Amino acid sequence: MHSSQVTTEPPSDGRGEHGSTAGGVPGVLRSPAPAPGADRPPLLFDVIIAGCGPTGAMLAAELRLHDVRVLVLEKDTEPASSVRIVGLHIRSLELLAMRGLLDRVLPHGRRRPAGGFFAAIPKPVPNGLDSAHAYLLGIPQPVVVRLLEEHAIALGAQVRRGRAVAGLEQDGEGVTVELADGERLRSRYLVGCDGGRSTVRRLLGVGFPGEPSRNETLMGEMEVGVPQEEVAARAAEIGGTHRPFWLRPFGERVYSVVVPAAAVGDRAQPPTLEDFKQGLRAVAGTDFGVHSPRWLSRFGDATRLAERYRAGRVLLAGDAAHIHPPIGGQGLNLGVQDAFNLGWKLAAQIRGWAPEPLLDTYQAERRPVAEDVLDNTRAQTELLSDGPGPQAVRRLLTELMDFDEVNRHLIEKITAIGVRYDFGAGPDLLGRRLRDVDVEQGRLYDLLHRGHGLLLDRTGRLTAGGWSDRVDHLADPTADLDVPCVLLRPDGHVAWIGDDQQDLDGHLSRWFGDPSDAGDGPGRNGTVRHIGPNHEHAFGKKDAGILE
C-alpha cells in the first residue's frame, strides 16, 4: 500500500515528555502555549520522519510499536520504479524476524550463501556461523520499501508522498517543519532519513566530511544477445583482471551487469544503455549485444560520515548520516539497523521513561559502526583496483582467508553480526546481539515482536518488577544459553548478564528508566507482560505488529 496521505490520527494515551494528558482527557495531547507573538502550527505529531526509504519506514514502524504519533514525509510522489536488487544480510534478517516480518519478506527474495562478500574474494561460508539466518537474501529494493511501509501504516503511521522538507526551526519544545508548498507542521522530534543528499542534514548545518567519488561504476539488468556460454567464458576471463566487472545471469537471458564507467558523471542522471555498451567494449572488447534494460544506475565511491547524528531535537539516520561504496552490500542494511537502534530510544524519550543519556547512546553506538563500514569499504575499493600494489595485497588476503578465523571475522563484519556495543566491562556476550536461541515456547525472536526488552531468566528467581510495561519476562530453565540470565534491549543486544536481582535492577534502571507502578500485571495496553508456557495469549496479533 502506497498512500499519498493517510488521515487517520494514530492513538495516543497522552503521556510523554510533558507527563500529563490535556485536560485529563486520554488520547489528546496539546502543545504548550506558544510565546506571545509566536506563529507555531499545532503540535500534532511526536516524530516527523523525512524520507520513506527502508530506514524511514523501519523507524516509523518501530516508533508505532510504542504508540508514538508518526508522520513520514516522502518527496517522491510515487515509489521508485527501478527494480534494483539489494542483499539483506544476516543481521537485517534477524531484525525482521524479531518483529515477525521475515516470513513476509522471504517469498520475494532469493537466498544465496553468506560467503564471498569481502572484496568479492570467492571464499566459502565459514562453518557454524552463529545465526539461524546464515544466508544472503537478494530482493528488489522497492519490495523491501513497500513491505516496510505497509507494516508502518498497518501500525498507525501516516505517510504523505509528494511532500518535500524545505525548512526547519527547532526550539526547546519541538521542531517546526516547512514543506516546499509552504505548509508548516510541528512535532517533538524530526529525523532525517532522506538520503545522501539529505535536506535535513544541510538545513541543520551538520558537516559531512569524507572523500568525493574518484571512480564510478555502472550497474543494471538487461538482456544479452549472445549465447550464455560465450558470456560466461568471457566474463570469467575478464573478471580475473578487471574489477569491478561482472555479468551474472538473473533469469532467462537477463543478466546483472556491473562495469566501470568512463568518467564520474551526474548521479542525479541515470546512465544510458549506450554508456553500458561503451564500458563493456572498453573492458571486454564486446558489448555482448546487450539490449532491453530493466533498470540502469550508477554509483561512485564517495565516502562520507556526518559529524554528528543529533542536533537538539533533530536526528539523522541511514544515508543521511553516512555514504560509502556499495561494495559488500552494506548500505541498506546499515540504515535499517540504525532505525532499529534509534526507534525504541526515541520512543522512550517521548513516552517519558528514558534515562537521561539514553537518546545520546544512538550516536555513541551507531556512529562507530558506520566508521567501521566506511573503513572496510575503503579497503575493499583498494583491493578491487587494478594496480600492482593492491593486487598483491589482494592475493595475500586471499591466502589469509583460507584460515577460518580470518574468513569468519570478515563475514561477521560485513553481515554486522560481529557488532559489539561498549556497555562496560563484562563477558564477551555483553553488548552483542543474542542469536535466535531455542526456548521452551519455540524461538527467542518470536518473543520480541512488540519491541519490548526481555528478561530471559533460567533461574526462575528474578523479576522485571516495576519495568513490566516495557520489559517482558520469560522464566525458562531450558533456554539454550551458556549463562544464567540475560537482559535484552528491544534491539536484541545483551544489556546485562547474571543472576542477582539487585544487580539486575540497576541495569533495568540504566536502560529502561525509573520503575513504574505497573508491577507484573497488565501493562498500559492491557496485555500481560509475563510470558508463560502459552505465549500466544500474551502476544495478540495487534500487539505483535505482524503483517496480516
Side-chain angles (χ1 to χ4, degrees), residues 286-436:
T286 175
D287 61 18
F288 299 97
V290 295
H291 64 94
S292 305
R294 293 186 174 183
W295 59 269
L296 306 172
S297 67
R298 67 173 87 238
F299 62 86
D301 57 358
T303 306
R304 298 185 181 277
L305 180 63
E307 290 179 338
R308 50 184 171 155
Y309 282 18
R310 180 187 178 191
R313 291 178 173 264
V314 185
L315 300 102
L316 303 172
D319 288 354
H322 41 69
I323 59 171
H324 54 84
I327 300 167
Q330 299 167 88
L332 181 150
N333 295 272
L334 185 61
V336 167
Q337 292 155 26
D338 284 348
F340 229 77
N341 185 284
L342 174 60
W344 70 278
K345 297 173 180 177
L346 184 53
Q349 187 75 17
I350 291 165
R351 303 306 302 171
W353 57 259
E356 182 62 32
L358 182 64
L359 190 54
D360 286 332
T361 67
Y362 165 61
Q363 172 174 307
E365 292 174 3
R366 294 304 298 170
R367 197 171 183 276
V369 172
E371 286 180 314
D372 185 73
V373 171
L374 266 60
D375 278 349
N376 81 57
T377 54
R378 286 184 179 106
Q380 291 181 79
T381 299
E382 293 299 317
L383 293 170
L384 290 168
S385 67
D386 291 333
Q391 284 300 302
V393 176
R394 182 184 181 87
R395 289 191 293 271
L396 176 60
L397 183 59
T398 301
E399 293 179 14
L400 292 174
M401 287 177 68
D402 287 333
F403 292 97
D404 186 74
E405 295 84 353
V406 176
N407 190 21
R408 180 184 304 277
H409 175 75
L410 294 175
I411 291 296
E412 291 181 349
K413 182 183 291 290
I414 294 289
T415 62
I417 62 174
V419 170
R420 185 190 188 205
Y421 299 138
D422 184 5
F423 293 171
D428 183 65
L429 181 62
L430 184 67
R432 295 189 183 275
R433 106 279 186 250
L434 186 61
R435 69 188 188 280
D436 192 9

Side-chain angles (χ1 to χ4, degrees), residues 2-320:
H2 291 282
S3 173
S4 59
Q5 182 169 343
V6 179
T7 56
T8 302
E9 278 294 324
S12 172
D13 66 3
R15 300 190 305 174
E17 290 183 319
H18 299 285
S20 63
T21 58
V25 181
V28 179
L29 185 61
R30 295 175 183 163
S31 59
D39 181 23
R40 295 175 181 169
L43 183 61
L44 298 178
F45 305 99
D46 295 315
V47 179
I48 292 176
I49 298 171
C52 194
T55 304
M58 185 81 254
L59 178 60
E62 287 297 288
L63 291 168
R64 283 301 305 145
L65 287 176
H66 302 275
D67 292 335
V68 172
R69 300 168 304 169
V70 180
L71 171 65
V72 185
L73 301 172
E74 171 53 55
K75 63 181 178 62
D76 294 333
T77 57
E78 297 292 337
S81 58
S82 61
V83 191
R84 179 179 178 183
I85 303 298
V86 295
L88 292 177
H89 282 306
I90 297 173
R91 184 54 180 156
S92 295
L93 296 172
E94 291 181 340
L95 298 180
L96 293 175
M98 287 181 195
R99 297 300 184 257
L101 293 170
L102 186 57
D103 287 343
R104 279 292 303 269
V105 172
L106 286 177
H108 298 278
R110 179 181 298 181
R111 299 191 193 194
R112 285 183 46 203
F117 298 146
F118 195 85
I121 295 175
K123 295 295 179 181
V125 182
N127 292 325
L129 278 180
D130 184 26
S131 176
H133 308 285
Y135 52 88
L136 173 78
L137 187 72
I139 186 170
Q141 180 164 333
V143 172
V144 175
V145 175
R146 174 175 62 83
L147 292 175
L148 292 178
E149 182 179 342
E150 287 176 350
H151 177 49
I153 291 173
L155 291 173
Q158 294 192 38
V159 178
R160 299 182 187 176
R161 289 192 168 273
R163 313 305 293 274
V165 173
L168 66 88
E169 183 177 286
Q170 63 172 311
D171 51 61
E173 297 162 347
V175 184
T176 301
V177 178
E178 183 174 348
L179 306 186
D181 62 4
E183 183 180 7
R184 299 170 74 238
L185 302 168
R186 188 163 170 83
S187 65
R188 299 195 187 285
Y189 289 88
L190 169 68
V191 185
C193 302
D194 49 344
R197 299 182 178 185
S198 169
T199 298
V200 172
R201 188 188 63 239
R202 177 179 56 80
L203 292 171
L204 274 180
V206 171
F208 204 39
E211 306 92 52
S213 288
R214 299 171 299 168
N215 303 287
E216 192 167 82
T217 302
L218 306 179
M219 175 183 289
E221 288 180 9
M222 59 203 71
E223 296 185 31
V224 300
V226 299
Q228 181 175 345
E229 296 78 12
E230 181 178 337
V231 177
R234 188 63 179 144
E237 179 183 347
I238 300 299
T241 56
H242 290 81
R243 301 177 184 277
F245 171 83
W246 73 61
L247 278 84
R248 295 177 179 170
F250 194 80
E252 186 175 357
R253 301 193 69 81
V254 176
Y255 278 74
S256 171
V257 178
V258 172
V259 65
V264 176
D266 181 1
R267 287 196 63 194
Q269 297 296 322
T272 65
L273 182 62
E274 183 58 34
D275 292 331
F276 278 80
K277 290 182 176 181
Q278 291 178 7
L280 289 168
R281 293 185 198 119
V283 173
T286 175
D287 61 18
F288 299 97
V290 295
H291 64 94
S292 305
R294 293 186 174 183
W295 59 269
L296 306 172
S297 67
R298 67 173 87 238
F299 62 86
D301 57 358
T303 306
R304 298 185 181 277
L305 180 63
E307 290 179 338
R308 50 184 171 155
Y309 282 18
R310 180 187 178 191
R313 291 178 173 264
V314 185
L315 300 102
L316 303 172
D319 288 354

